Amino acid sequence: MKIRLALAAACMMALSAQAIANPQRTAILDRFAAEAKQQDKAFSAFSAERGKALFMDKHTGGKPEFPACASCHTSDPKSSGQTKAGKEIPPMAVSKTPTRFTDPAEVEKWFGRNCNQVLGRDCTASEKGDFITFLISQ
Amino acid sequence: MTNKPALVWDIEIRIFHWLLLAFVVGAWMTVEMGPPSLLGLHEVLGFGIGAMLIFRLFWGLFGSWHQRFASFVRGPVSVLSHLKSLLTGKPQRFIGHNPAGGVMIVALLLVLLGVVASGIATMGGFDKAGPLAPYLTFAQGRQAKEIHELLVNILLVLAGLHVAGVIVESVFLKENLIRSMIHGRKEAHPDFIAPPGPPPVARPGLAAVLASLVVASLGSAMFYSSLKPALGVPMLGHNPQYVKECGACHTPHHPSLLPASSWKLVMAGLSDHFGDDASLTEGNRQEIETWLVKATELGWDTKAGQRIPATLKPADPMRITASTFWERRHRKIPEPVFKSKLVGGKANCQACHVDAVRGGFSPLGIAIPEEIK
């Protein structure tokens, strides 16, 4: 019985580790980390907490139509969102959509568009890293 | 002369008569009452009617005597004299069709033949499908559609006159002609007027073989022709870059839906794109714009490609959904359907049109998602 449980736990850990430890995603995070350190000497590590706040909180500065990232991605990262034009957006949580944050051009493009829409400015490298770290934890 | 009922309508003609009625009523109902996707059934019924007409033609040449055109097609003099006999109360009694009925049969068959032919032409030019799709332009298809509808109206009038004629004759002759078309017999009468000349030998076998040959060869020619590319529907390769970038937020709209000038406007304003931010890297932006403009230059003679760009609102040149054609075709769909989660918005053509990405918009591929209804 104990052995079975341990095996099941090991399998699950292996699965989630596979979802998380994706070399492209790691490279993207590493690049954001390097940039963040350049911008702010005090930077130590990304925080899922801060990422969660960025995802959920209502912001000002952007378009009143989209006060939060959750406006399109919904406040549950594990469920599907909807674009302004009405198409489904697959969940942002890496556990649900394993291909999330693996294509550097896609990541740059959407951070560029969406931070501008919601915050009215570009996101900083540490905000981007926090955001991804939060969604890896989901 | 005995009063034994005589077999007048053989089994082939009775089956033909009632099957034809069922097919015509069915074809009429599928377009008048059904959803657009029933157009497929309408077309199948139409081809079926065409095949039946070919069989009727050969039965009219080689079938049993009362079915032959030679026995019932008379000149105007006989027609008038028969109609007069009805008015004087001493109706002439014919074994087969009376001269007025004979005219009606020929008229019905000819109009039906026209309905089928114009229907296939409509299918070809207007919907870019079927055997005439490789040969007809959209404009010709629209004309064919008008002729098709006109002929159907004439057919409805003729059918009404045909039924009225049957009822009138039944009353005057005190004989149920509708029942005759079911069991095939008519009461024999001493004053029957038989068609001229001795009845020739019926050759149903010959009629069946010849009709089958014509139906089979015409059918396979049509099938072969319908496999050829349709006129004015160019081959446009799948562009993964376009589908990825312009399909991220809504259905990647087919290039044929807007003129090049509109696409240039869209591509010049991506950072404020209908209130959304769709900005691209300059390289991507240029590649997509070049592809869109080239694709429109191929020339699209489809319904959507002809009607949507031609009816755009000058004040709203980037809005496919503001074109008069689009508005008219979708005005029966309530706003909440577009807002529902499964559709999401008017720009998600794909939610209701399976072939939207290819720019087809075939009526056969239209379905509002089940769950909404």
Side-chain angles (χ1 to χ4, degrees):
Chain A
M1 190 62 201
K2 266 190 186 157
I3 295 178
R4 276 229 195 123
L5 267 180
L7 263 177
C11 279
M12 281 176 62
M13 272 162 68
L15 271 177
S16 52
Q18 194 193 18
I20 292 156
N22 173 300
Q24 283 108 318
R25 187 155 44 233
T26 312
I28 290 173
L29 273 178
D30 288 349
R31 200 162 43 76
F32 284 144
E35 253 177 70
K37 232 170 254 155
Q38 233 173 33
Q39 283 166 2
D40 177 7
K41 294 266 157 21
F43 174 83
S44 59
F46 293 129
S47 139
E49 274 309 300
R50 286 197 307 261
K52 183 175 181 180
L54 174 61
F55 190 98
M56 303 288 182
D57 286 358
K58 287 213 158 113
H59 305 271
T60 50
K63 289 185 188 152
E65 199 184 342
F66 310 112
C69 306
S71 308
C72 293
H73 293 296
T74 77
S75 49
D76 175 10
K78 287 203 178 88
S79 66
S80 291
Q82 210 174 16
T83 68
K84 178 175 156 65
K87 192 171 177 265
E88 182 184 347
I89 306 176
M92 292 299 273
V94 170
S95 63
K96 291 280 173 187
T97 314
T99 51
R100 281 284 173 225
F101 318 112
T102 53
D103 176 347
E106 278 291 287
V107 171
E108 259 335 305
K109 180 179 77 190
W110 287 106
F111 270 129
R113 288 173 178 173
N114 296 341
C115 293
N116 220 9
Q117 299 260 79
V118 175
L119 308 172
R121 60 167 172 84
D122 284 338
C123 286
T124 63
S126 74
E127 281 171 326
K128 294 175 186 172
D130 291 343
F131 187 81
I132 295 176
T133 307
F134 165 61
L135 290 161
I136 290 173
S137 76
Q138 288 298 299
Chain B
M1 292 269 171
T2 64
N3 264 22
K4 226 179 95 204
L7 186 70
V8 178
W9 310 126
D10 61 18
I11 180 71
E12 292 93 338
I13 206 70
R14 281 179 278 147
I15 292 178
F16 167 79
H17 178 271
W18 295 114
L19 205 59
L20 184 69
L21 175 66
F23 270 50
V24 168
V25 170
W28 187 76
M29 278 170 44
T30 48
V31 283
E32 289 298 323
M33 304 170 192
S37 53
L38 271 192
L39 188 66
L41 180 58
H42 177 82
E43 288 161 356
V44 168
L45 292 172
F47 282 112
I49 292 170
M52 278 193 264
L53 290 175
I54 291 171
F55 272 88
R56 181 64 184 89
L57 178 72
F58 283 98
W59 246 261
L61 296 174
F62 305 111
S64 58
W65 188 219
H66 299 298
Q67 271 69 262
R68 292 206 187 179
F69 300 121
S71 82
F72 64 77
V73 179
R74 308 283 170 74
V77 179
S78 333
V79 176
L80 284 178
S81 107
H82 173 67
L83 291 179
K84 246 187 243 157
S85 84
L86 286 178
L87 292 177
T88 55
K90 277 201 196 132
Q92 298 166 327
R93 204 177 269 279
F94 289 81
I95 299 185
H97 293 295
N98 68 56
V103 169
M104 180 57 77
I105 302 304
V106 172
L108 280 169
L109 293 178
L110 284 179
V111 170
L112 258 177
L113 206 61
V115 169
V116 170
S118 60
I120 297 177
T122 305
M123 186 183 177
F126 195 68
D127 289 315
K128 297 290 172 188
L132 294 183
Y135 308 107
L136 296 182
T137 63
F138 176 72
Q140 288 164 336
R142 271 181 108 185
Q143 281 164 353
K145 183 162 177 275
E146 272 167 29
I147 296 171
H148 188 58
E149 287 165 359
L150 175 71
L151 287 174
V152 168
N153 286 336
I154 294 176
L155 180 71
L156 290 178
V157 172
L158 287 181
L161 286 174
H162 172 58
V163 172
V166 167
I167 292 171
V168 166
E169 295 265 341
S170 295
V171 169
F172 276 100
L173 297 173
K174 301 192 178 60
E175 181 175 18
N176 190 333
L177 293 177
I178 299 175
R179 277 240 299 279
S180 288
M181 196 38 93
I182 295 170
H183 53 51
R185 289 181 302 275
K186 275 188 179 181
E187 290 294 320
H189 272 275
D191 53 350
F192 254 156
I193 302 176
V201 187
R203 318 269 295 275
L206 178 67
V209 168
L210 290 179
S212 305
L213 273 178
V214 170
V215 168
S217 40
L218 213 60
S220 36
M222 285 191 182
F223 177 72
Y224 176 73
S225 165
S226 61
L227 297 180
K228 289 195 222 166
L231 182 69
V233 186
M235 297 294 277
L236 181 67
H238 177 74
N239 181 341
Q241 185 194 21
Y242 181 71
V243 170
K244 181 178 163 212
E245 298 301 350
C246 302
C249 298
H250 48 64
T251 297
H253 298 302
H254 193 264
S256 66
L257 300 181
L258 289 175
S261 56
S262 294
W263 285 124
K264 285 183 186 153
L265 281 178
V266 170
M267 297 309 292
L270 287 178
S271 56
D272 185 9
H273 176 74
F274 301 93
D276 211 334
D277 186 342
S279 46
L280 292 168
T281 62
E282 183 53 21
N284 267 349
R285 196 197 67 76
Q286 264 173 14
E287 270 168 38
I288 290 176
E289 176 170 328
T290 309
W291 179 78
L292 279 168
V293 170
K294 265 208 193 113
T296 56
E297 281 164 0
L298 295 173
W300 296 86
D301 193 37
T302 57
K303 196 185 299 168
Q306 286 292 309
R307 301 298 297 138
I308 291 175
T311 62
L312 291 176
K313 301 242 168 71
D316 225 352
M318 297 187 285
R319 276 275 186 196
I320 297 160
T321 55
S323 65
T324 341
F325 176 81
W326 196 95
E327 282 182 338
R328 236 187 293 119
R329 289 303 166 121
H330 299 85
R331 72 165 173 238
K332 280 191 240 140
I333 302 171
E335 206 57 34
V337 169
F338 289 113
K339 297 249 165 67
S340 66
K341 185 127 195 171
L342 282 166
V343 178
K346 291 180 177 169
N348 286 323
C349 321
Q350 223 174 343
C352 308
H353 296 277
V354 284
D355 53 354
V357 176
R358 281 187 290 114
F361 300 101
S362 158
L364 308 196
I366 299 178
I368 295 178
E370 238 354 278
E371 294 82 339
I372 296 171
K373 289 187 258 162

